[in-house]
Amino acid sequence: MANRVFITGDTHGPSEIGRLNKTFAVGRELDKDDYLVICGDFGLVWADRSKYAYWLRWLDKKPFTTLFVDGNHENFDMLESMPVEQWHGGAVHRVNDSVIHLMRGQVFDIAGRSFFCMGGARSVDKARRTPHISWWPQEIPSPEERDAACAALDARGWQVDYVLTHCAARNVQRLLNPTYENDELTCFLEDVERRLDYRRWFFGHYHEDRPVGERQTAIFEDVVEIVPGDAGDLVRHVYRAEETGPAPAR
């Protein structure tokens, strides 16, 4: 069987990662060449404490490999202390044998498809958080990271199959809720969205599960699979959360 790729939203570390027991029971059928991608706020690279180590071991023992783009709630000091290695065409931090951080501005070739990844987002609650303890200024990609993203897309002729981010582009965020504030990252992603030839774009952050426009999907608790087909890829729901209405982005 061909390698499989699944996508879900924010797991928020120990507080919510266990929901995968319910939403991703299909994982028992997989192997390490199959991938579950988390669209930011992974939350298990946060502190050197036993509860975080427990859940990282829990994921490492799963039959699949866990990939994540960073959100705004990650310990970026810890992430940046990890060695950088090349994996499937892009730069990563390997958290353990089967938990891998897909670094910002990289394009990866996974299961026969190309994925452009750009983590980061603005924390609306940062005034209530402590710098380098519960909030990190690196949550917004630097100009150098944005330049690296453009260089990676230049190398691909501004054409990829899929885009994985934490926050949405400005034009898409406006469709979600016109009162949401924009910043340099949402503006950058809007520029990318207008230039890029892509099939589908998945993002987390807003705690919603719903399509936005024709090619964008906000994802939180849902789990979807990209299913290759002769007539083109399909996006199949493996798990669909109950429609309880959106919670605010964090």
Side-chain angles (χ1 to χ4, degrees):
M1 180 180 291
N3 301 146
R4 301 170 70 181
V5 177
F6 303 83
I7 301 169
T8 191
D10 314 20
T11 49
H12 298 132
S15 64
E16 294 182 41
I17 189 73
R19 77 168 189 248
L20 294 179
N21 276 326
K22 174 183 179 182
T23 63
F24 200 52
V26 70
R28 292 190 290 270
E29 305 166 4
L30 307 179
D31 63 32
K32 290 297 184 182
D33 290 324
D34 299 310
Y35 304 97
L36 174 65
V37 188
I38 297 168
C39 288
D41 279 8
F42 174 60
L44 287 177
V45 181
W46 186 265
D48 291 319
R49 296 176 187 167
S50 60
K51 63 180 179 179
Y52 297 96
Y54 168 83
W55 287 107
L56 287 173
R57 290 194 302 270
W58 180 80
L59 282 175
D60 197 33
K61 292 175 183 177
K62 295 292 184 182
F64 54 87
T65 295
T66 301
L67 311 175
F68 70 97
V69 300
D70 53 89
N72 49 304
H73 294 322
E74 322 284 0
N75 185 329
F76 290 99
D77 294 338
M78 288 184 71
L79 278 176
E80 292 171 1
S81 72
M82 296 177 179
V84 176
E85 62 180 79
Q86 292 295 306
W87 182 86
H88 287 242
V92 302
H93 294 118
R94 186 177 292 273
V95 179
N96 61 30
D97 286 346
S98 56
V99 177
I100 298 171
H101 171 224
L102 304 175
M103 293 176 65
R104 295 170 173 177
Q106 305 292 300
V107 178
F108 299 92
D109 296 304
I110 304 170
R113 299 291 182 267
S114 55
F115 293 80
F116 171 65
C117 298
M118 193 70 183
R122 182 180 61 87
S123 294
V124 298
D125 60 350
K126 70 179 183 179
R128 301 192 299 272
R129 291 175 174 266
T130 304
H132 298 281
I133 300 295
S134 58
W135 174 81
W136 285 263
Q138 303 100 304
E139 65 178 21
I140 295 291
S142 66
E144 293 76 16
E145 288 171 321
R146 300 197 294 271
D147 288 346
C150 290
L153 292 173
D154 283 342
R156 298 287 182 132
W158 285 82
Q159 183 174 14
V160 298
D161 294 312
Y162 296 96
V163 181
L164 303 171
T165 62
H166 186 52
C167 70
R170 177 172 61 178
N171 54 326
V172 177
Q173 184 173 262
R174 189 180 300 119
L175 296 175
L176 279 168
N177 187 329
T179 68
Y180 286 156
E181 291 185 32
N182 288 290
D183 52 54
E184 59 265 45
L185 176 56
T186 61
C187 294
F188 171 76
L189 291 176
E190 181 178 37
D191 290 339
V192 168
E193 198 275 333
R194 287 175 172 171
R195 295 181 62 186
L196 187 62
D197 182 3
Y198 68 96
R199 299 185 189 187
R200 293 286 290 269
W201 184 318
F202 297 91
F203 56 89
H205 189 48
Y206 303 93
H207 300 183
E208 294 193 50
D209 290 293
R210 65 180 175 102
V212 185
E214 294 183 356
R215 295 187 294 169
Q216 302 264 349
T217 300
I219 195 161
F220 180 33
E221 294 180 324
D222 283 4
V223 181
V224 300
E225 179 181 8
I226 295 172
V227 182
D230 293 339
D233 294 353
L234 300 175
V235 175
R236 178 179 71 92
H237 270 84
V238 174
Y239 176 84
R240 192 186 296 271
E242 295 181 4
E243 295 184 359
T244 57
R250 293 192 291 183

